[in-house]
């Protein structure tokens, strides 16, 4: 068992634990309960904030997410017993999207994992790994890790770090003024920087489909750093409502909605998370079932839908056949500000997963016609090496 990481007492999970709660309120954020905390869902309106991020740069507080460090002997090999990605192949400063898998091939969580170099902002030896997991699942994830990993793997939960995401086409311009040098990063790379004596860990990544950065910053410096970013003309604070509509347009799944323990990576259209070497070697939870589905085809598949008309179709709506029987489920849906149409994600039978296929949806006794479409709904604008 890995080093014990205790879940806080229930009364400790209060909004004041997140460094920017007062800052959000002072900025006019509309606060709502989220993942055990109080978070801003919007400031001036979800549509306006969504479009601002697509055109300029939006600052998101994602400090509720779990930031973890893994270190110790053979830590990369140990992580590969739970994740299907090529963790051993990551070089310093490189990051990878991966999945924490269950024995049945289902998904405990989706996450980002980065190999650290010697200069890493966390005062930890080179070769350790930095991981960001979802806020709503972080305590369950820690339970899985500490139960499955040996004592030699040390887990540190960075609960005093804030996490900010600066997203949009002008994010690099704004952040480069505040933290010179970040423009040297490309998509899915990370490095250590400094701001006013505070160590920062900055990755060129995010979950909006736009170019952008995620910045781990000490909690006691988070408010001043957020102020410095919002002092840039390109930047406005953006709530979690727009973050959700942005990730939906980008075709990115949300854990607990589009992914869960009953979903495997093949059905979820996340086959890219199964690295070539790992597909050949196996050795990750649920490998037999997952690789069989990859070889033979999954019975269902996550697809994008464009819904006719203007009425959004929400999570929980059903995909029905000609007799009205349920054959699939909508897992995310809403009106897409950039597309100016209702869009959704759903799991449908594999025979209906071809783009152009028309399907019928049922929501609260009303039917809607939708067409299966390729995702993303809005092209990704990541800045890759050589671009």
């Amino acid at each position: 068992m890995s080093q014990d990481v205790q879940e806080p007492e229930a009364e400790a999970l209060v909004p004041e634990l997140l460094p920017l709660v007062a800052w959000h309120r002072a900025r006019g954020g509309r606060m709502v309960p989220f993942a055990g905390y109080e978070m801003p869902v919007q400031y001036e309106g979800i549509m306006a904030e969504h479009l601002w991020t697509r055109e300029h740069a939006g600052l998101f507080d994602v400090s509720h997410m779990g930031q973890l460090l893994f270190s110790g002997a053979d830590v990369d090999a140990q992580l590969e017993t739970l994740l299907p990605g090529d963790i051993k192949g990551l070089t310093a400063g490189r990051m990878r999207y991966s999945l924490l898998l269950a024995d049945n091939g289902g998904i405990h969580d989706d996450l980002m994992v980065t190999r650290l170099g010697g200069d890493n902002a966390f005062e930890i030896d080179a070769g350790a790994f930095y991981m960001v997991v979802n806020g709503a699942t972080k305590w369950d994830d820690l339970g899985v890790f500490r139960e499955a990993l040996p004592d030699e793997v040390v887990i540190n939960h960075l609960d005093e770090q804030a996490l900010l995401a600066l997203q949009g086409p002008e994010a690099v311009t704004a952040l480069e003024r505040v933290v010179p040098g970040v423009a040297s990063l490309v998509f899915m790379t990370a490095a250590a920087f400094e701001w006013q004596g505070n160590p920062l860990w900055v990755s060129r990544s995010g979950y909006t489909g736009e170019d952008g950065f995620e910045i781990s910053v000490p909690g006691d410096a988070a408010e001043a750093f957020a102020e410095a970013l919002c002092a840039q003309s390109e930047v406005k604070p953006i709530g979690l409502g727009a973050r959700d509509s942005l990730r939906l347009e980008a075709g990115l799944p949300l854990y607990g909605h589009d992914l869960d323990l009953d979903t495997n990576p093949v059905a979820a259209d996340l086959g890219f998370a199964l690295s070539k070497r790992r597909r050949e070697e196996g050795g990750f939870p649920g490998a037999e079932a997952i690789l069989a589905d990859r070889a033979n085809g999954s019975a269902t598949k996550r697809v994008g839908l464009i819904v006719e008309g203007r009425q959004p179709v929400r999570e929980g709506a059903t995909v029905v056949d000609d007799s009205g029987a349920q054959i699939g489920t909508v897992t995310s849906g809403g009106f897409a500000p950039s597309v100016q149409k209702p869009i959704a994600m759903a799991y449908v039978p594999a025979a209906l997963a071809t783009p152009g296929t028309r399907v019928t949806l049922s929501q609260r006794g009303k039917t809607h016609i939708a067409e299966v479409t390729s995702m993303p709904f809005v092209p990704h604008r990541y800045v890759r090496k050589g671009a």
Side-chain angles (χ1 to χ4, degrees):
M1 185 179 294
S2 62
Q3 180 184 7
D4 194 26
V5 181
Q6 296 295 328
E7 180 172 351
E9 298 296 327
E11 60 267 21
L13 286 176
V14 295
E16 286 71 25
L17 278 182
L18 294 182
L20 291 173
V21 170
W23 186 84
H24 294 309
R25 289 178 177 145
R27 286 264 179 175
R30 178 186 162 199
M31 310 299 286
V32 298
F34 187 82
Y37 301 102
E38 192 176 0
M39 302 292 290
V41 66
Q42 65 181 57
Y43 294 85
E44 58 181 285
I46 292 173
M47 183 170 292
E49 293 170 30
H50 177 115
L51 294 174
W52 179 271
T53 304
R54 286 273 184 249
E55 296 166 7
H56 304 288
L59 181 65
F60 302 81
D61 179 12
V62 289
S63 301
H64 61 292
M65 300 184 76
Q67 299 180 69
L68 312 176
L69 291 179
F70 295 82
S71 59
D74 298 321
V75 61
D76 48 6
Q78 294 297 337
L79 287 174
E80 285 193 356
T81 66
L82 296 173
L83 313 178
D86 182 5
I87 308 304
K88 292 179 184 178
L90 283 175
T91 56
R94 294 285 178 173
M95 58 196 303
R96 179 159 287 145
Y97 175 87
S98 197
L99 304 165
L100 178 58
L101 293 174
D103 289 339
N104 68 347
I107 301 170
H108 281 293
D109 200 6
D110 62 337
L111 52 88
M112 300 294 296
V113 59
T114 310
R115 187 188 288 270
L116 301 176
D119 181 14
N120 56 55
F122 300 119
E123 298 182 352
I124 195 167
D125 291 341
F129 288 86
Y130 170 74
M131 185 182 294
V132 177
V133 300
N134 281 294
T137 58
K138 63 184 174 184
W139 298 114
D140 289 339
D141 292 357
L142 279 165
V144 172
F145 282 123
R146 68 176 180 244
E147 180 66 28
L149 298 177
D151 292 337
E152 290 74 21
V153 175
V154 178
I155 306 172
N156 291 302
H157 179 206
L158 303 174
D159 55 353
E160 296 185 355
Q161 290 284 116
L163 187 64
L164 302 178
L166 187 66
Q167 301 285 294
E170 296 178 350
V172 63
T173 301
L175 187 58
E176 180 71 18
R177 283 196 214 103
V178 179
V179 185
V182 294
S184 64
L185 296 173
V186 294
F187 183 56
M188 298 296 276
T189 65
F193 294 87
E194 186 176 285
W195 177 76
Q196 295 189 355
N198 295 287
L200 306 178
W201 183 250
V202 182
S203 64
R204 200 156 191 174
S205 61
Y207 220 61
T208 63
E210 294 292 334
D211 181 29
F213 301 84
E214 292 189 341
I215 307 119
S216 180
V217 55
D220 56 8
E223 186 169 325
F225 186 63
E227 277 295 317
L229 292 176
C230 286
Q232 310 307 307
S233 61
E234 299 89 352
V235 181
K236 287 185 178 181
I238 308 295
L240 296 181
R243 187 170 185 263
D244 189 54
S245 58
L246 289 159
R247 70 90 195 168
L248 178 56
E249 285 187 346
L252 301 172
L254 180 63
Y255 193 85
H257 302 263
D258 311 295
L259 307 175
D260 58 29
L261 281 168
D262 294 321
T263 308
N264 81 34
V266 179
D269 198 28
L270 298 176
F272 67 89
L274 309 172
S275 297
K276 183 176 185 292
R277 176 177 64 81
R278 304 305 312 284
R279 295 195 307 268
E280 295 171 350
E281 296 177 358
F284 50 86
E288 184 176 350
I290 291 170
L291 295 177
D293 268 7
R294 187 176 185 276
N296 303 320
S298 176
T300 62
K301 187 175 179 182
R302 179 175 64 94
V303 299
L305 299 174
I306 294 179
V307 183
E308 292 185 358
R310 303 287 288 180
Q311 178 65 42
V313 174
R314 306 290 183 182
E315 177 183 357
T318 57
V319 184
V320 298
D321 63 15
D322 292 342
S323 70
Q326 180 176 351
I327 56 173
T329 303
V330 173
T331 53
S332 288
F335 188 82
S338 304
V339 181
Q340 284 295 296
K341 295 178 181 178
I343 62 173
M345 292 183 198
Y347 283 85
V348 302
L352 301 180
T354 304
T357 303
R358 290 168 65 82
V359 296
T360 302
L361 311 177
S362 177
Q363 176 178 256
R364 297 179 182 174
K366 296 183 178 180
T367 59
H368 305 262
I369 303 301
E371 183 175 299
V372 175
T373 186
S374 300
M375 292 189 286
F377 300 94
V378 172
H380 295 162
R381 295 200 282 186
Y382 307 135
V383 174
R384 301 181 185 274
K385 186 175 182 180

